[in-house]
Amino acid sequence: MSGPGLFAAGLGLSAALMAVVFLVALRLRNFSIVDIAWSGVFTPLVLLAAAFAEGYGPRRALIATMVTLWSLRLAVHLYRRIAALHPEEEGRYVRLRQEWAANLHARFFAFFQAQGALAALLSVPFLLASIDRRAPLGPFEIAGAALFVVALAGESIADRQLAAFKADPGSRGRTCRTGLWRYSRHPNYFFEWLVWVAFSVFAWSSPWGWATIYAPLLMLYFLFRVTGIPMTEEQALR
């Protein structure tokens, strides 16, 4: 399957999966599950590319493994956090319910579909790597894979350290400043961004791979300006 065909298939798959998740959210009365779905949808997207692209087999297998490990780890992490709050929603979704009350279901459906479209857009680095037929693996792919290992390990450690801090009753009302959190207010977000740098670097060996620099830049924008740090700090202050 060609690159444009795979992208169109991925976009359709994302839209369909997010529509199903929206129906589940309505039944659960919990729109927070979109975060779990957004993280998890990258697994079927990268597996789609690995299965139907015609690129070099080891390259397809390596990028599929990297994305799947990251996607499922983050989805499970978010599931545990959201399940612990259920039936209550996370603060930002409570606020969106209030702001969108006049047209709640239509707006949330559009929101879910936007998340699916964003996932498809961010999957382009995986797609370009998967359709690249050249062998063997290049230095950028090796560097991207090595950087990915560091990023995934750092994000996992940061998440575990924060979970342990929150589980301690003596931490109530305090800010986590232990482990990696001693050096950064948001080490989990830093390593999450580094994961996307790794995905982009991996794609640089492929034709037009340099253009995937937009992926970590877009993630940096979202983390700093939209759904990451601003909402996290606002909720922490409340």
Side-chain angles (χ1 to χ4, degrees):
M1 189 180 294
S2 67
L6 279 171
F7 178 77
L11 188 62
L13 178 61
S14 293
L17 291 174
M18 283 300 180
V20 172
V21 173
F22 173 75
L23 295 177
V24 174
L26 288 180
R27 185 172 182 82
L28 294 177
R29 298 183 181 180
N30 191 333
F31 288 117
S32 300
I33 67 170
V34 68
D35 291 342
I36 305 170
W38 186 84
S39 303
V41 77
F42 287 97
T43 294
L45 286 177
V46 76
L47 293 179
L48 176 72
F52 292 100
E54 299 178 353
Y56 181 51
R59 181 179 292 110
R60 283 185 288 144
L62 181 54
I63 190 61
T65 300
M66 290 164 55
V67 174
T68 300
L69 286 174
W70 162 78
S71 170
L72 295 184
R73 189 214 71 86
L74 185 57
V76 170
H77 170 72
L78 293 173
Y79 169 79
R80 289 172 176 167
R81 190 179 76 189
I82 292 168
L85 290 174
H86 187 72
E88 295 182 12
E89 291 175 312
E90 291 198 325
R92 55 183 166 171
Y93 294 103
V94 172
R95 189 179 69 182
L96 287 176
R97 273 186 180 273
Q98 296 168 350
E99 294 177 356
W100 293 349
N103 201 8
L104 184 70
H105 290 171
R107 289 194 173 191
F108 264 111
F109 179 78
F111 179 79
F112 276 52
Q113 288 298 304
Q115 296 297 303
L118 177 62
L121 178 63
L122 288 171
S123 295
V124 170
F126 324 146
L127 174 60
L128 291 179
S130 296
I131 63 177
D132 185 0
R133 300 185 181 187
R134 295 175 301 173
L137 296 175
F140 282 124
E141 289 149 339
I142 295 171
L147 183 59
F148 170 79
V149 171
V150 173
L152 186 66
E155 187 174 15
S156 301
I157 292 169
D159 284 338
R160 285 200 300 268
Q161 289 174 343
L162 182 61
F165 176 82
K166 288 183 175 181
D168 182 359
S171 301
R172 191 171 185 82
R174 297 170 51 222
T175 300
C176 183
R177 295 180 180 176
T178 59
L180 294 173
W181 298 83
R182 179 184 308 173
Y183 306 104
S184 169
R185 284 186 1 219
H186 303 283
N188 53 340
Y189 288 148
F190 168 74
F191 286 111
E192 170 67 12
W193 173 72
L194 205 61
V195 166
W196 286 97
V197 174
F199 290 154
S200 179
V201 170
F202 188 95
W204 288 356
S205 291
S206 303
W208 291 96
W210 58 267
T212 64
I213 190 65
Y214 78 86
L217 292 177
L218 188 59
M219 285 302 301
L220 194 65
Y221 171 77
F222 275 100
L223 290 173
F224 266 98
R225 299 296 183 186
V226 187
T227 62
I229 293 172
M231 288 190 175
T232 298
E233 296 199 343
E234 181 183 345
Q235 187 170 339
L237 288 172
R238 285 200 303 267

